[in-house]
Amino acid sequence: HGVAQVFAVGGKDVRLIGRRAESLRAAMDKIKASLKGFTAHGIVSAKDAQAALKRIRPTTDMKEAAAATLVVEAVPFEQELQLRVFEELDRICPPPTVLASSSGQVASELVGRVKRKERVVAAHFWYPSQMIPAVEVCAGPDTAPDVVPWLCKALEGVGKVPVVLNRE
């Protein structure tokens, strides 16, 4: 939910994809509470908080990721689940969509079932994502050279400070 909030506050339309409607409702409740706190502390205006909420569309349909230029995976740190998610995203999302993992897993561990490995990268948001500015960005051995600079620019565009790691 924190990563979704980051991009929505940064002016981006967000598809928050979850496995269950209940977890999506809980995530939206957490985003609303966080934005309320941000508003109370003058971090965002009430108008901007409402606009951010309108930019987030929760869904259980993974196919909603197909139109994205960037997909940030944030599933639990379970390798089989992550492999399934990246396999499906690789199938659904046409190139040059960047597939990033925020789960802390290195990119090379996520591409076992991915055909287009060159677009997979690690983007580890520090928790809580909506408050900590740093995001670790690390290419895998198969990541295309233009992916990390592109991702860093996208992160800077939503107020994050990318920290590029030169090896996994």
Side-chain angles (χ1 to χ4, degrees), residues 98-159:
V98 171
L99 306 177
S101 175
S102 71
S103 64
Q105 186 67 274
V106 295
S108 62
E109 293 290 326
L110 300 167
V111 295
R113 300 179 192 164
V114 172
K115 293 179 182 171
R116 293 175 295 256
K117 296 170 175 47
E118 69 277 0
R119 61 195 183 137
V120 177
V121 63
H124 182 241
F125 286 73
W126 288 86
Y127 184 80
S129 307
Q130 67 275 32
M131 296 179 72
I132 305 297
V135 179
E136 290 178 342
V137 177
C138 187
D142 298 311
T143 307
D146 60 329
V147 170
V148 168
W150 181 90
L151 180 57
C152 288
K153 186 175 179 181
L155 291 167
E156 289 166 349
V158 295

Side-chain angles (χ1 to χ4, degrees), residues 88-105:
E88 188 168 359
L89 289 171
D90 185 48
R91 186 179 52 76
I92 291 170
C93 301
T97 303
V98 171
L99 306 177
S101 175
S102 71
S103 64
Q105 186 67 274

Side-chain angles (χ1 to χ4, degrees), residues 4-55:
Q5 180 180 327
V6 165
F7 283 95
V9 169
K12 307 297 180 190
D13 289 327
V14 175
R15 300 299 171 267
L16 179 60
I17 302 171
R19 293 183 278 178
R20 297 180 322 277
E22 304 81 43
S23 64
L24 287 168
R25 276 192 296 278
M28 290 303 296
D29 287 345
K30 289 176 183 176
I31 292 168
K32 289 174 188 171
S34 176
L35 287 171
K36 184 177 179 181
F38 276 35
T39 301
H41 288 90
I43 298 169
V44 298
S45 69
K47 179 181 174 184
D48 289 343
Q50 285 302 313
L53 282 172
K54 289 178 183 176
R55 289 187 196 103

